[in-house]
Amino acid sequence: MDRFLAHHLDRSTADHMLTVTQSLGPLQRQREVEAYALQSQAGMVESLLAQHC
């Protein structure tokens, strides 16, 4: 499990995410895992988008 997953998801959730996204390409998989892990961080995501987009 990489450091991003270890920081944001518990082991069983991270394993599940890796399993359900295994058919995706690497970039698409990374985006899906990040979106899932950060879905409860709406304020932070909005702030980052406002600052960087």
Side-chain angles (χ1 to χ4, degrees):
M1 178 164 50
D2 69 21
R3 290 189 319 167
F4 177 85
L5 290 177
H7 181 75
H8 292 284
L9 302 173
D10 63 62
R11 180 69 185 187
S12 64
T13 303
D15 289 345
H16 173 72
M17 284 301 300
L18 293 175
T19 299
V20 299
T21 60
Q22 73 185 80
S23 65
L24 302 175
L27 184 57
Q28 189 176 10
R29 182 183 206 183
Q30 178 183 350
R31 288 177 179 160
E32 289 294 327
V33 170
E34 288 175 2
Y36 182 84
L38 298 175
Q39 67 184 346
S40 65
Q41 304 292 323
M44 180 188 68
V45 172
E46 289 173 3
S47 175
L48 289 171
L49 287 171
Q51 290 175 22
H52 299 286
C53 295

mmCIF file of all heavy atoms in Angstrom:
data_model
loop_
_atom_site.group_PDB
_atom_site.id
_atom_site.type_symbol
_atom_site.label_atom_id
_atom_site.label_comp_id
_atom_site.label_asym_id
_atom_site.label_seq_id
_atom_site.Cartn_x
_atom_site.Cartn_y
_atom_site.Cartn_z
ATOM 1 N N MET A 1 0.857 -1.175 0.000
ATOM 2 C CA MET A 1 0.000 0.000 0.000
ATOM 3 C C MET A 1 0.902 1.237 0.000
ATOM 4 O O MET A 1 1.838 1.323 0.771
ATOM 5 C CB MET A 1 -0.887 -0.041 1.249
ATOM 6 C CG MET A 1 -1.781 1.137 1.402
ATOM 7 S SD MET A 1 -3.154 0.960 2.572
ATOM 8 C CE MET A 1 -2.411 0.347 4.036
ATOM 9 N N ASP A 2 0.602 2.195 -0.890
ATOM 10 C CA ASP A 2 1.462 3.370 -0.944
ATOM 11 C C ASP A 2 1.143 4.341 0.193
ATOM 12 O O ASP A 2 0.176 4.187 0.927
ATOM 13 C CB ASP A 2 1.405 4.045 -2.316
ATOM 14 C CG ASP A 2 0.073 4.705 -2.625
ATOM 15 O OD1 ASP A 2 -0.700 5.007 -1.700
ATOM 16 O OD2 ASP A 2 -0.187 4.945 -3.814
ATOM 17 N N ARG A 3 1.961 5.375 0.335
ATOM 18 C CA ARG A 3 1.815 6.287 1.484
ATOM 19 C C ARG A 3 0.509 7.068 1.440
ATOM 20 O O ARG A 3 -0.077 7.346 2.480
ATOM 21 C CB ARG A 3 3.009 7.231 1.551
ATOM 22 C CG ARG A 3 4.270 6.507 1.955
ATOM 23 C CD ARG A 3 5.434 7.390 2.249
ATOM 24 N NE ARG A 3 5.594 8.509 1.339
ATOM 25 C CZ ARG A 3 6.402 9.537 1.575
ATOM 26 N NH1 ARG A 3 7.108 9.563 2.662
ATOM 27 N NH2 ARG A 3 6.510 10.512 0.703
ATOM 28 N N PHE A 4 0.052 7.449 0.243
ATOM 29 C CA PHE A 4 -1.225 8.171 0.141
ATOM 30 C C PHE A 4 -2.352 7.322 0.705
ATOM 31 O O PHE A 4 -3.136 7.790 1.525
ATOM 32 C CB PHE A 4 -1.516 8.545 -1.310
ATOM 33 C CG PHE A 4 -2.848 9.224 -1.473
ATOM 34 C CD1 PHE A 4 -2.956 10.587 -1.276
ATOM 35 C CD2 PHE A 4 -3.976 8.502 -1.793
ATOM 36 C CE1 PHE A 4 -4.183 11.229 -1.396
ATOM 37 C CE2 PHE A 4 -5.209 9.133 -1.916
ATOM 38 C CZ PHE A 4 -5.313 10.490 -1.718
ATOM 39 N N LEU A 5 -2.429 6.073 0.258
ATOM 40 C CA LEU A 5 -3.486 5.176 0.744
ATOM 41 C C LEU A 5 -3.356 4.943 2.238
ATOM 42 O O LEU A 5 -4.346 4.965 2.963
ATOM 43 C CB LEU A 5 -3.445 3.843 0.003
ATOM 44 C CG LEU A 5 -3.850 3.858 -1.459
ATOM 45 C CD1 LEU A 5 -3.677 2.471 -2.064
ATOM 46 C CD2 LEU A 5 -5.270 4.343 -1.634
ATOM 47 N N ALA A 6 -2.148 4.727 2.709
ATOM 48 C CA ALA A 6 -1.932 4.460 4.125
ATOM 49 C C ALA A 6 -2.355 5.653 4.980
ATOM 50 O O ALA A 6 -2.865 5.477 6.086
ATOM 51 C CB ALA A 6 -0.467 4.118 4.381
ATOM 52 N N HIS A 7 -2.183 6.848 4.459
ATOM 53 C CA HIS A 7 -2.540 8.053 5.214
ATOM 54 C C HIS A 7 -4.048 8.292 5.241
ATOM 55 O O HIS A 7 -4.594 8.738 6.242
ATOM 56 C CB HIS A 7 -1.832 9.270 4.621
ATOM 57 C CG HIS A 7 -2.114 10.538 5.349
ATOM 58 N ND1 HIS A 7 -1.559 10.828 6.572
ATOM 59 C CD2 HIS A 7 -2.909 11.587 5.041
ATOM 60 C CE1 HIS A 7 -2.008 11.998 6.983
ATOM 61 N NE2 HIS A 7 -2.823 12.485 6.071
ATOM 62 N N HIS A 8 -4.729 8.010 4.131
ATOM 63 C CA HIS A 8 -6.137 8.388 3.995
ATOM 64 C C HIS A 8 -7.137 7.253 4.177
ATOM 65 O O HIS A 8 -8.316 7.508 4.404
ATOM 66 C CB HIS A 8 -6.379 9.045 2.638
ATOM 67 C CG HIS A 8 -5.716 10.375 2.505
ATOM 68 N ND1 HIS A 8 -6.207 11.510 3.098
ATOM 69 C CD2 HIS A 8 -4.583 10.753 1.868
ATOM 70 C CE1 HIS A 8 -5.416 12.530 2.829
ATOM 71 N NE2 HIS A 8 -4.423 12.104 2.086
ATOM 72 N N LEU A 9 -6.717 6.010 4.052
ATOM 73 C CA LEU A 9 -7.649 4.887 4.115
ATOM 74 C C LEU A 9 -7.128 3.806 5.043
ATOM 75 O O LEU A 9 -5.918 3.574 5.120
ATOM 76 C CB LEU A 9 -7.845 4.268 2.722
ATOM 77 C CG LEU A 9 -8.355 5.177 1.609
ATOM 78 C CD1 LEU A 9 -8.319 4.442 0.288
ATOM 79 C CD2 LEU A 9 -9.756 5.671 1.914
ATOM 80 N N ASP A 10 -8.042 3.113 5.731
ATOM 81 C CA ASP A 10 -7.601 1.968 6.514
ATOM 82 C C ASP A 10 -7.239 0.821 5.556
ATOM 83 O O ASP A 10 -7.565 0.857 4.380
ATOM 84 C CB ASP A 10 -8.663 1.540 7.530
ATOM 85 C CG ASP A 10 -9.948 1.068 6.877
ATOM 86 O OD1 ASP A 10 -9.915 0.067 6.140
ATOM 87 O OD2 ASP A 10 -10.985 1.714 7.102
ATOM 88 N N ARG A 11 -6.562 -0.170 6.067
ATOM 89 C CA ARG A 11 -6.010 -1.249 5.237
ATOM 90 C C ARG A 11 -7.084 -1.973 4.428
ATOM 91 O O ARG A 11 -6.912 -2.209 3.231
ATOM 92 C CB ARG A 11 -5.242 -2.239 6.126
ATOM 93 C CG ARG A 11 -4.631 -3.397 5.405
ATOM 94 C CD ARG A 11 -3.503 -2.914 4.555
ATOM 95 N NE ARG A 11 -2.982 -4.008 3.759
ATOM 96 C CZ ARG A 11 -1.910 -3.901 3.028
ATOM 97 N NH1 ARG A 11 -1.241 -2.787 2.974
ATOM 98 N NH2 ARG A 11 -1.491 -4.916 2.333
ATOM 99 N N SER A 12 -8.202 -2.341 5.040
ATOM 100 C CA SER A 12 -9.224 -3.099 4.312
ATOM 101 C C SER A 12 -9.876 -2.254 3.222
ATOM 102 O O SER A 12 -10.159 -2.748 2.128
ATOM 103 C CB SER A 12 -10.278 -3.666 5.268
ATOM 104 O OG SER A 12 -10.991 -2.629 5.895
ATOM 105 N N THR A 13 -10.087 -0.959 3.492
ATOM 106 C CA THR A 13 -10.666 -0.081 2.466
ATOM 107 C C THR A 13 -9.687 0.113 1.319
ATOM 108 O O THR A 13 -10.074 0.089 0.147
ATOM 109 C CB THR A 13 -11.056 1.274 3.074
ATOM 110 O OG1 THR A 13 -11.968 1.062 4.149
ATOM 111 C CG2 THR A 13 -11.701 2.181 2.037
ATOM 112 N N ALA A 14 -8.419 0.310 1.640
ATOM 113 C CA ALA A 14 -7.400 0.472 0.599
ATOM 114 C C ALA A 14 -7.313 -0.781 -0.260
ATOM 115 O O ALA A 14 -7.257 -0.694 -1.495
ATOM 116 C CB ALA A 14 -6.048 0.777 1.235
ATOM 117 N N ASP A 15 -7.319 -1.946 0.359
ATOM 118 C CA ASP A 15 -7.276 -3.202 -0.399
ATOM 119 C C ASP A 15 -8.492 -3.324 -1.305
ATOM 120 O O ASP A 15 -8.377 -3.733 -2.463
ATOM 121 C CB ASP A 15 -7.209 -4.404 0.546
ATOM 122 C CG ASP A 15 -5.873 -4.541 1.242
ATOM 123 O OD1 ASP A 15 -4.890 -3.890 0.806
ATOM 124 O OD2 ASP A 15 -5.805 -5.292 2.222
ATOM 125 N N HIS A 16 -9.665 -2.949 -0.789
ATOM 126 C CA HIS A 16 -10.885 -3.001 -1.589
ATOM 127 C C HIS A 16 -10.786 -2.048 -2.794
ATOM 128 O O HIS A 16 -11.116 -2.420 -3.919
ATOM 129 C CB HIS A 16 -12.096 -2.633 -0.731
ATOM 130 C CG HIS A 16 -13.365 -2.506 -1.510
ATOM 131 N ND1 HIS A 16 -14.026 -3.596 -2.031
ATOM 132 C CD2 HIS A 16 -14.076 -1.415 -1.888
ATOM 133 C CE1 HIS A 16 -15.092 -3.175 -2.688
ATOM 134 N NE2 HIS A 16 -15.135 -1.861 -2.609
ATOM 135 N N MET A 17 -10.318 -0.835 -2.560
ATOM 136 C CA MET A 17 -10.182 0.134 -3.656
ATOM 137 C C MET A 17 -9.213 -0.364 -4.721
ATOM 138 O O MET A 17 -9.461 -0.211 -5.910
ATOM 139 C CB MET A 17 -9.698 1.486 -3.114
ATOM 140 C CG MET A 17 -10.761 2.278 -2.413
ATOM 141 S SD MET A 17 -12.192 2.652 -3.448
ATOM 142 C CE MET A 17 -11.452 3.588 -4.765
ATOM 143 N N LEU A 18 -8.129 -0.964 -4.302
ATOM 144 C CA LEU A 18 -7.161 -1.489 -5.271
ATOM 145 C C LEU A 18 -7.772 -2.627 -6.083
ATOM 146 O O LEU A 18 -7.513 -2.757 -7.278
ATOM 147 C CB LEU A 18 -5.885 -1.931 -4.562
ATOM 148 C CG LEU A 18 -5.078 -0.801 -3.937
ATOM 149 C CD1 LEU A 18 -3.896 -1.359 -3.152
ATOM 150 C CD2 LEU A 18 -4.611 0.190 -4.983
ATOM 151 N N THR A 19 -8.597 -3.436 -5.449
ATOM 152 C CA THR A 19 -9.249 -4.547 -6.143
ATOM 153 C C THR A 19 -10.263 -4.047 -7.166
ATOM 154 O O THR A 19 -10.252 -4.473 -8.317
ATOM 155 C CB THR A 19 -9.945 -5.486 -5.136
ATOM 156 O OG1 THR A 19 -8.960 -6.023 -4.267
ATOM 157 C CG2 THR A 19 -10.658 -6.620 -5.848
ATOM 158 N N VAL A 20 -11.136 -3.130 -6.764
ATOM 159 C CA VAL A 20 -12.201 -2.687 -7.672
ATOM 160 C C VAL A 20 -11.694 -1.772 -8.782
ATOM 161 O O VAL A 20 -12.399 -1.565 -9.771
ATOM 162 C CB VAL A 20 -13.378 -2.014 -6.930
ATOM 163 C CG1 VAL A 20 -14.025 -2.977 -5.955
ATOM 164 C CG2 VAL A 20 -12.956 -0.739 -6.243
ATOM 165 N N THR A 21 -10.484 -1.238 -8.648
ATOM 166 C CA THR A 21 -9.945 -0.368 -9.694
ATOM 167 C C THR A 21 -8.840 -1.041 -10.513
ATOM 168 O O THR A 21 -8.229 -0.388 -11.352
ATOM 169 C CB THR A 21 -9.398 0.943 -9.094
ATOM 170 O OG1 THR A 21 -8.351 0.640 -8.167
ATOM 171 C CG2 THR A 21 -10.483 1.749 -8.401
ATOM 172 N N GLN A 22 -8.618 -2.324 -10.304
ATOM 173 C CA GLN A 22 -7.487 -2.976 -10.958
ATOM 174 C C GLN A 22 -7.602 -3.028 -12.482
ATOM 175 O O GLN A 22 -6.594 -3.120 -13.166
ATOM 176 C CB GLN A 22 -7.241 -4.369 -10.388
ATOM 177 C CG GLN A 22 -8.251 -5.419 -10.780
ATOM 178 C CD GLN A 22 -7.972 -6.721 -10.059
ATOM 179 O OE1 GLN A 22 -8.326 -6.874 -8.906
ATOM 180 N NE2 GLN A 22 -7.334 -7.634 -10.719
ATOM 181 N N SER A 23 -8.799 -2.932 -13.044
ATOM 182 C CA SER A 23 -8.949 -2.981 -14.503
ATOM 183 C C SER A 23 -8.694 -1.618 -15.155
ATOM 184 O O SER A 23 -8.632 -1.528 -16.383
ATOM 185 C CB SER A 23 -10.354 -3.469 -14.873
ATOM 186 O OG SER A 23 -11.330 -2.531 -14.443
ATOM 187 N N LEU A 24 -8.522 -0.571 -14.356
ATOM 188 C CA LEU A 24 -8.294 0.770 -14.886
ATOM 189 C C LEU A 24 -6.820 0.980 -15.205
ATOM 190 O O LEU A 24 -5.952 0.318 -14.637
ATOM 191 C CB LEU A 24 -8.739 1.818 -13.860
ATOM 192 C CG LEU A 24 -10.197 1.750 -13.402
ATOM 193 C CD1 LEU A 24 -10.434 2.774 -12.303
ATOM 194 C CD2 LEU A 24 -11.139 1.949 -14.563
ATOM 195 N N GLY A 25 -6.556 1.934 -16.069
ATOM 196 C CA GLY A 25 -5.178 2.329 -16.328
ATOM 197 C C GLY A 25 -4.615 3.028 -15.103
ATOM 198 O O GLY A 25 -5.368 3.454 -14.216
ATOM 199 N N PRO A 26 -3.299 3.190 -15.032
ATOM 200 C CA PRO A 26 -2.675 3.741 -13.821
ATOM 201 C C PRO A 26 -3.164 5.145 -13.451
ATOM 202 O O PRO A 26 -3.435 5.417 -12.284
ATOM 203 C CB PRO A 26 -1.186 3.761 -14.142
ATOM 204 C CG PRO A 26 -1.007 3.050 -15.421
ATOM 205 C CD PRO A 26 -2.334 2.814 -16.040
ATOM 206 N N LEU A 27 -3.307 6.033 -14.412
ATOM 207 C CA LEU A 27 -3.742 7.391 -14.107
ATOM 208 C C LEU A 27 -5.202 7.415 -13.669
ATOM 209 O O LEU A 27 -5.561 8.069 -12.682
ATOM 210 C CB LEU A 27 -3.537 8.309 -15.313
ATOM 211 C CG LEU A 27 -3.871 9.782 -15.098
ATOM 212 C CD1 LEU A 27 -3.065 10.366 -13.932
ATOM 213 C CD2 LEU A 27 -3.599 10.569 -16.360
ATOM 214 N N GLN A 28 -6.047 6.689 -14.373
ATOM 215 C CA GLN A 28 -7.458 6.636 -14.008
ATOM 216 C C GLN A 28 -7.632 5.995 -12.629
ATOM 217 O O GLN A 28 -8.432 6.453 -11.818
ATOM 218 C CB GLN A 28 -8.243 5.864 -15.063
ATOM 219 C CG GLN A 28 -9.737 5.949 -14.886
ATOM 220 C CD GLN A 28 -10.482 5.244 -16.009
ATOM 221 O OE1 GLN A 28 -9.898 4.545 -16.821
ATOM 222 N NE2 GLN A 28 -11.780 5.424 -16.033
ATOM 223 N N ARG A 29 -6.856 4.964 -12.365
ATOM 224 C CA ARG A 29 -6.916 4.300 -11.059
ATOM 225 C C ARG A 29 -6.513 5.260 -9.943
ATOM 226 O O ARG A 29 -7.176 5.357 -8.916
ATOM 227 C CB ARG A 29 -6.000 3.083 -11.058
ATOM 228 C CG ARG A 29 -6.024 2.301 -9.799
ATOM 229 C CD ARG A 29 -5.034 1.166 -9.859
ATOM 230 N NE ARG A 29 -5.443 0.091 -8.977
ATOM 231 C CZ ARG A 29 -4.753 -0.995 -8.789
ATOM 232 N NH1 ARG A 29 -3.639 -1.199 -9.448
ATOM 233 N NH2 ARG A 29 -5.171 -1.914 -7.957
ATOM 234 N N GLN A 30 -5.436 5.995 -10.157
ATOM 235 C CA GLN A 30 -4.969 6.956 -9.160
ATOM 236 C C GLN A 30 -6.048 8.004 -8.889
ATOM 237 O O GLN A 30 -6.311 8.349 -7.741
ATOM 238 C CB GLN A 30 -3.692 7.631 -9.641
ATOM 239 C CG GLN A 30 -3.169 8.694 -8.685
ATOM 240 C CD GLN A 30 -1.942 9.411 -9.217
ATOM 241 O OE1 GLN A 30 -1.366 9.009 -10.218
ATOM 242 N NE2 GLN A 30 -1.558 10.468 -8.557
ATOM 243 N N ARG A 31 -6.676 8.508 -9.933
ATOM 244 C CA ARG A 31 -7.734 9.510 -9.762
ATOM 245 C C ARG A 31 -8.917 8.962 -8.967
ATOM 246 O O ARG A 31 -9.467 9.637 -8.106
ATOM 247 C CB ARG A 31 -8.214 10.000 -11.118
ATOM 248 C CG ARG A 31 -7.210 10.882 -11.806
ATOM 249 C CD ARG A 31 -7.697 11.288 -13.172
ATOM 250 N NE ARG A 31 -6.730 12.148 -13.827
ATOM 251 C CZ ARG A 31 -6.686 12.341 -15.121
ATOM 252 N NH1 ARG A 31 -7.564 11.754 -15.921
ATOM 253 N NH2 ARG A 31 -5.770 13.132 -15.651
ATOM 254 N N GLU A 32 -9.318 7.745 -9.267
ATOM 255 C CA GLU A 32 -10.446 7.131 -8.546
ATOM 256 C C GLU A 32 -10.123 6.929 -7.072
ATOM 257 O O GLU A 32 -10.955 7.214 -6.201
ATOM 258 C CB GLU A 32 -10.823 5.786 -9.184
ATOM 259 C CG GLU A 32 -11.481 5.908 -10.529
ATOM 260 C CD GLU A 32 -12.842 6.580 -10.460
ATOM 261 O OE1 GLU A 32 -13.569 6.420 -9.461
ATOM 262 O OE2 GLU A 32 -13.183 7.288 -11.421
ATOM 263 N N VAL A 33 -8.930 6.444 -6.782
ATOM 264 C CA VAL A 33 -8.531 6.207 -5.391
ATOM 265 C C VAL A 33 -8.448 7.530 -4.632
ATOM 266 O O VAL A 33 -8.935 7.647 -3.507
ATOM 267 C CB VAL A 33 -7.199 5.426 -5.329
ATOM 268 C CG1 VAL A 33 -6.647 5.390 -3.915
ATOM 269 C CG2 VAL A 33 -7.389 4.015 -5.865
ATOM 270 N N GLU A 34 -7.858 8.552 -5.256
ATOM 271 C CA GLU A 34 -7.768 9.858 -4.612
ATOM 272 C C GLU A 34 -9.152 10.444 -4.367
ATOM 273 O O GLU A 34 -9.423 10.989 -3.296
ATOM 274 C CB GLU A 34 -6.931 10.815 -5.453
ATOM 275 C CG GLU A 34 -5.464 10.486 -5.436
ATOM 276 C CD GLU A 34 -4.653 11.371 -6.370
ATOM 277 O OE1 GLU A 34 -5.232 12.280 -7.019
ATOM 278 O OE2 GLU A 34 -3.440 11.159 -6.463
ATOM 279 N N ALA A 35 -10.032 10.357 -5.350
ATOM 280 C CA ALA A 35 -11.389 10.891 -5.198
ATOM 281 C C ALA A 35 -12.118 10.196 -4.056
ATOM 282 O O ALA A 35 -12.787 10.838 -3.248
ATOM 283 C CB ALA A 35 -12.160 10.736 -6.505
ATOM 284 N N TYR A 36 -11.984 8.886 -3.989
ATOM 285 C CA TYR A 36 -12.637 8.136 -2.909
ATOM 286 C C TYR A 36 -12.076 8.546 -1.544
ATOM 287 O O TYR A 36 -12.816 8.802 -0.600
ATOM 288 C CB TYR A 36 -12.463 6.635 -3.120
ATOM 289 C CG TYR A 36 -13.164 5.818 -2.065
ATOM 290 C CD1 TYR A 36 -14.511 5.519 -2.173
ATOM 291 C CD2 TYR A 36 -12.485 5.362 -0.947
ATOM 292 C CE1 TYR A 36 -15.170 4.793 -1.190
ATOM 293 C CE2 TYR A 36 -13.125 4.641 0.040
ATOM 294 C CZ TYR A 36 -14.468 4.352 -0.087
ATOM 295 O OH TYR A 36 -15.108 3.644 0.890
ATOM 296 N N ALA A 37 -10.766 8.622 -1.459
ATOM 297 C CA ALA A 37 -10.124 8.926 -0.185
ATOM 298 C C ALA A 37 -10.443 10.336 0.296
ATOM 299 O O ALA A 37 -10.547 10.571 1.500
ATOM 300 C CB ALA A 37 -8.615 8.746 -0.310
ATOM 301 N N LEU A 38 -10.628 11.270 -0.636
ATOM 302 C CA LEU A 38 -10.824 12.665 -0.257
ATOM 303 C C LEU A 38 -12.279 13.124 -0.325
ATOM 304 O O LEU A 38 -12.565 14.301 -0.138
ATOM 305 C CB LEU A 38 -9.947 13.562 -1.139
ATOM 306 C CG LEU A 38 -8.441 13.312 -1.004
ATOM 307 C CD1 LEU A 38 -7.679 14.154 -2.007
ATOM 308 C CD2 LEU A 38 -7.955 13.553 0.407
ATOM 309 N N GLN A 39 -13.206 12.207 -0.551
ATOM 310 C CA GLN A 39 -14.597 12.607 -0.721
ATOM 311 C C GLN A 39 -15.183 13.305 0.506
ATOM 312 O O GLN A 39 -16.102 14.112 0.384
ATOM 313 C CB GLN A 39 -15.461 11.424 -1.126
ATOM 314 C CG GLN A 39 -15.625 10.353 -0.079
ATOM 315 C CD GLN A 39 -16.409 9.167 -0.600
ATOM 316 O OE1 GLN A 39 -17.049 9.243 -1.634
ATOM 317 N NE2 GLN A 39 -16.339 8.066 0.109
ATOM 318 N N SER A 40 -14.655 13.034 1.663
ATOM 319 C CA SER A 40 -15.172 13.693 2.867
ATOM 320 C C SER A 40 -14.437 14.997 3.177
ATOM 321 O O SER A 40 -14.720 15.649 4.176
ATOM 322 C CB SER A 40 -15.068 12.748 4.067
ATOM 323 O OG SER A 40 -13.707 12.484 4.354
ATOM 324 N N GLN A 41 -13.516 15.384 2.321
ATOM 325 C CA GLN A 41 -12.716 16.590 2.525
ATOM 326 C C GLN A 41 -13.116 17.686 1.535
ATOM 327 O O GLN A 41 -12.267 18.332 0.920
ATOM 328 C CB GLN A 41 -11.227 16.258 2.355
ATOM 329 C CG GLN A 41 -10.716 15.160 3.240
ATOM 330 C CD GLN A 41 -10.714 15.566 4.700
ATOM 331 O OE1 GLN A 41 -10.442 16.705 5.041
ATOM 332 N NE2 GLN A 41 -11.047 14.631 5.565
ATOM 333 N N ALA A 42 -14.399 17.907 1.362
ATOM 334 C CA ALA A 42 -14.898 18.832 0.342
ATOM 335 C C ALA A 42 -14.296 20.233 0.479
ATOM 336 O O ALA A 42 -13.904 20.840 -0.521
ATOM 337 C CB ALA A 42 -16.412 18.906 0.395
ATOM 338 N N GLY A 43 -14.204 20.748 1.673
ATOM 339 C CA GLY A 43 -13.647 22.086 1.874
ATOM 340 C C GLY A 43 -12.213 22.193 1.412
ATOM 341 O O GLY A 43 -11.829 23.167 0.760
ATOM 342 N N MET A 44 -11.417 21.193 1.744
ATOM 343 C CA MET A 44 -10.025 21.201 1.330
ATOM 344 C C MET A 44 -9.911 21.114 -0.189
ATOM 345 O O MET A 44 -9.122 21.836 -0.802
ATOM 346 C CB MET A 44 -9.255 20.042 1.959
ATOM 347 C CG MET A 44 -7.792 20.017 1.547
ATOM 348 S SD MET A 44 -6.898 18.550 2.084
ATOM 349 C CE MET A 44 -7.660 17.289 1.096
ATOM 350 N N VAL A 45 -10.701 20.255 -0.793
ATOM 351 C CA VAL A 45 -10.660 20.085 -2.246
ATOM 352 C C VAL A 45 -11.078 21.380 -2.936
ATOM 353 O O VAL A 45 -10.422 21.823 -3.885
ATOM 354 C CB VAL A 45 -11.539 18.901 -2.682
ATOM 355 C CG1 VAL A 45 -11.655 18.839 -4.182
ATOM 356 C CG2 VAL A 45 -10.984 17.595 -2.133
ATOM 357 N N GLU A 46 -12.148 22.014 -2.465
ATOM 358 C CA GLU A 46 -12.590 23.290 -3.045
ATOM 359 C C GLU A 46 -11.506 24.350 -2.923
ATOM 360 O O GLU A 46 -11.248 25.110 -3.865
ATOM 361 C CB GLU A 46 -13.870 23.761 -2.360
ATOM 362 C CG GLU A 46 -15.081 22.951 -2.711
ATOM 363 C CD GLU A 46 -16.309 23.327 -1.889
ATOM 364 O OE1 GLU A 46 -16.222 24.292 -1.067
ATOM 365 O OE2 GLU A 46 -17.339 22.671 -2.057
ATOM 366 N N SER A 47 -10.843 24.397 -1.795
ATOM 367 C CA SER A 47 -9.785 25.368 -1.582
ATOM 368 C C SER A 47 -8.614 25.127 -2.536
ATOM 369 O O SER A 47 -8.083 26.074 -3.134
ATOM 370 C CB SER A 47 -9.304 25.291 -0.138
ATOM 371 O OG SER A 47 -8.206 26.131 0.077
ATOM 372 N N LEU A 48 -8.216 23.879 -2.676
ATOM 373 C CA LEU A 48 -7.118 23.548 -3.595
ATOM 374 C C LEU A 48 -7.473 23.879 -5.033
ATOM 375 O O LEU A 48 -6.635 24.412 -5.779
ATOM 376 C CB LEU A 48 -6.749 22.070 -3.464
ATOM 377 C CG LEU A 48 -6.038 21.686 -2.172
ATOM 378 C CD1 LEU A 48 -5.934 20.168 -2.060
ATOM 379 C CD2 LEU A 48 -4.674 22.325 -2.091
ATOM 380 N N LEU A 49 -8.707 23.588 -5.431
ATOM 381 C CA LEU A 49 -9.139 23.923 -6.798
ATOM 382 C C LEU A 49 -9.126 25.425 -7.023
ATOM 383 O O LEU A 49 -8.673 25.907 -8.060
ATOM 384 C CB LEU A 49 -10.529 23.343 -7.075
ATOM 385 C CG LEU A 49 -10.608 21.839 -7.258
ATOM 386 C CD1 LEU A 49 -12.060 21.391 -7.308
ATOM 387 C CD2 LEU A 49 -9.866 21.414 -8.509
ATOM 388 N N ALA A 50 -9.603 26.182 -6.045
ATOM 389 C CA ALA A 50 -9.620 27.643 -6.178
ATOM 390 C C ALA A 50 -8.206 28.210 -6.282
ATOM 391 O O ALA A 50 -7.963 29.152 -7.023
ATOM 392 C CB ALA A 50 -10.358 28.256 -4.991
ATOM 393 N N GLN A 51 -7.267 27.621 -5.548
ATOM 394 C CA GLN A 51 -5.896 28.111 -5.544
ATOM 395 C C GLN A 51 -5.121 27.731 -6.791
ATOM 396 O O GLN A 51 -4.273 28.487 -7.256
ATOM 397 C CB GLN A 51 -5.141 27.551 -4.345
ATOM 398 C CG GLN A 51 -5.572 28.081 -3.015
ATOM 399 C CD GLN A 51 -4.847 27.382 -1.868
ATOM 400 O OE1 GLN A 51 -3.769 26.807 -2.046
ATOM 401 N NE2 GLN A 51 -5.440 27.412 -0.689
ATOM 402 N N HIS A 52 -5.409 26.560 -7.360
ATOM 403 C CA HIS A 52 -4.545 26.013 -8.404
ATOM 404 C C HIS A 52 -5.196 25.863 -9.771
ATOM 405 O O HIS A 52 -4.532 25.446 -10.717
ATOM 406 C CB HIS A 52 -3.987 24.655 -7.950
ATOM 407 C CG HIS A 52 -3.163 24.762 -6.709
ATOM 408 N ND1 HIS A 52 -1.902 25.288 -6.682
ATOM 409 C CD2 HIS A 52 -3.457 24.450 -5.412
ATOM 410 C CE1 HIS A 52 -1.424 25.278 -5.444
ATOM 411 N NE2 HIS A 52 -2.353 24.773 -4.657
ATOM 412 N N CYS A 53 -6.466 26.183 -9.895
ATOM 413 C CA CYS A 53 -7.132 26.027 -11.204
ATOM 414 C C CYS A 53 -7.718 27.348 -11.666
ATOM 415 O O CYS A 53 -8.038 28.208 -10.951
ATOM 416 C CB CYS A 53 -8.250 24.986 -11.120
ATOM 417 S SG CYS A 53 -7.637 23.339 -10.781
#
